[in-house]
Amino acid sequence: MDEHAWHAKSIEILTDIKAWRQAHPTATFVEIEDQVHTRLMELEAHVLQDAAAASKHQAWGQSTDTLAPLCPTCAIPLQARGKRERTLHGNGGQSVTLSRTYGTCPRCGCGLFPPR
């Protein structure tokens, strides 16, 4: 997880909020709150994406050190089918794109993008 990137993003967001406030001197408390909330959700998405990417489970199938997830139907290990991207939406509505190993079940053929 890149704390320097988080710090830079935090400064960018705080600077933007300050500039927005100066450009909107008559904004109501609710308008200010909405702006702050929207911008902080950007930071949240950035941190979530980095934290999820740091999971040791996301690299399954690339070595024998990490066990493959099990098929939810057959309960047997999935076969890795390479990396794929998946875009999720956080609680704040921001998009988070994760790159993870995609797997299929050798028995039933079910495809799965494991959540870890």
Side-chain angles (χ1 to χ4, degrees), residues 11-78:
I11 290 173
E12 173 192 329
I13 288 170
L14 292 172
T15 301
D16 289 350
I17 290 170
K18 183 178 179 181
W20 180 89
R21 181 65 180 122
Q22 289 173 347
H24 299 87
T26 60
T28 66
F29 180 82
V30 172
E31 291 169 332
I32 297 167
E33 182 181 35
D34 287 344
Q35 181 66 21
V36 169
H37 180 73
T38 298
R39 296 307 312 267
L40 289 178
M41 291 303 98
E42 290 178 35
L43 179 61
E44 178 182 272
H46 188 82
V47 172
L48 280 171
Q49 188 164 319
D50 283 358
S55 171
K56 67 179 182 178
H57 298 287
Q58 63 104 9
W60 72 273
Q62 297 175 11
S63 71
T64 56
D65 296 344
T66 307
L67 297 175
L70 302 179
C71 172
T73 305
C74 304
I76 62 173
L78 298 175

Side-chain angles (χ1 to χ4, degrees), residues 81-113:
R81 297 291 184 220
K83 291 261 188 190
R84 298 208 184 152
E85 287 189 348
R86 181 174 182 187
T87 300
L88 305 171
H89 298 282
N91 292 339
Q94 296 291 326
S95 296
V96 176
T97 301
L98 303 176
S99 178
R100 293 280 175 83
T101 302
Y102 184 81
T104 57
C105 176
R107 181 179 295 157
C108 72
C110 174
L112 184 65
F113 183 89

